[in-house]
Amino acid sequence: MAPLTVGRAEVPLIAALDYDGAARSALLALKEEGRTELAAALAPAVSAAVIEAYRQAATFATVRPESPLLVPVPGSRAGFARRGVHPTEVLARRAGFATTRVLAPAGGGGPAQKSRALAERLARESGVVVRGAARLLGRRVVLIDDVVTSGATLRSSAAVLRAAGAEVVACAAVMATPRRQGASSIPWAPIRRDPGVS
C-alpha cells in the first residue's frame, strides 16, 4: 500500500475502492441526501480498508500493547447541520467498528492567523479541532475518512492529532480518487481481492 507522508514519518494509507461508479453514487447519496441506509452497501469496503490499516499499523513497532484508536475525520459544520451525522462515523459504525470521536469541525472567525497559537493555526488550516485531548496523549491512532483526493485532509488532521500527543500509525479511506499527479497527490493502491474469492 502507498505511504502517506505525515510529518517526518511515512504512514500507510489504505483505500478500498476507486471513487467512481456505483460506489461513488452510493456515497454521494449518503452524504448529500442523508441516505444513511446506504452505509450497509459500503460496509464491506469500510471493513476491508480498516482491517488492512490495522494490519499495516502493526508494522510500526511499539512497546505499547493497546490497539490504536479508530478516529473518524468529521465533515464540515455545514454538512453536519444539513445531515445530522458525520458520514465517516456512520460508515465505520455500520461496518461494526467502534470509533473515538476526538476530532470536531473547527469554528470560523476569531483572531487573525498571526495571533493564533500553533494548535489554533493547525485547527484553522485543517478545519478540525481536538476535543478531549487527554484521551489522546501517548495513544496510537488510525485515521479514517470517506474519500481521499490529495490527502490534505488526512495530513492536516494527523498534524492536529500529533499536536495533541497522539501517534498516527495508519490511515484508511473507503474510496480514493484516481488522481495520481501533482506534488500534493498521494499514489495509492486499492485493496486487491483474490478473484477466486467471492
Side-chain angles (χ1 to χ4, degrees):
M1 298 300 160
L4 168 70
T5 301
V6 175
R8 288 172 292 180
E10 286 197 339
V11 174
L13 168 63
I14 288 70
L17 301 169
D18 287 318
Y19 185 56
D20 197 11
R24 177 180 181 273
S25 297
L27 183 61
L28 285 174
L30 186 157
K31 293 175 71 169
E32 304 305 325
E33 302 167 26
R35 295 188 55 198
T36 56
E37 76 277 6
L38 293 172
L42 296 170
V46 176
S47 184
V50 171
I51 289 169
E52 181 61 16
Y54 270 80
R55 191 183 75 74
Q56 294 279 328
T59 66
F60 274 61
T62 179
V63 296
R64 294 188 299 276
E66 72 273 5
S67 182
L69 301 173
L70 182 62
V71 174
V73 174
S76 67
R77 284 182 179 273
F80 182 77
R82 187 176 66 249
R83 292 182 294 261
V85 296
H86 292 300
T88 304
E89 196 170 280
V90 169
L91 288 163
R93 289 190 175 162
R94 184 61 182 87
F97 297 102
T99 59
T100 302
R101 185 189 290 182
V102 290
L103 293 177
Q113 181 78 339
K114 66 181 180 182
S115 65
R116 293 175 183 268
L118 175 60
E120 294 173 53
R121 290 185 186 194
L122 287 170
R124 185 176 177 88
E125 291 167 8
S126 67
V128 296
V129 293
V130 169
R131 304 281 189 226
R135 289 187 287 171
L136 291 171
L137 191 61
R139 291 300 304 267
R140 295 183 301 149
V141 167
V142 171
L143 264 174
I144 180 171
D145 205 356
D146 53 3
V147 179
V148 174
T149 303
S150 70
T153 300
L154 287 174
R155 284 189 190 100
S156 55
S157 296
V160 170
L161 290 167
R162 280 200 330 275
E167 178 189 8
V168 178
V169 293
C171 296
V174 184
M175 300 175 202
T177 64
R179 175 174 177 260
R180 294 172 186 265
Q181 298 178 352
S184 67
S185 63
I186 300 173
W188 62 278
I191 298 168
R192 302 293 182 199
R193 293 186 176 83
D194 183 337
V197 177
S198 58

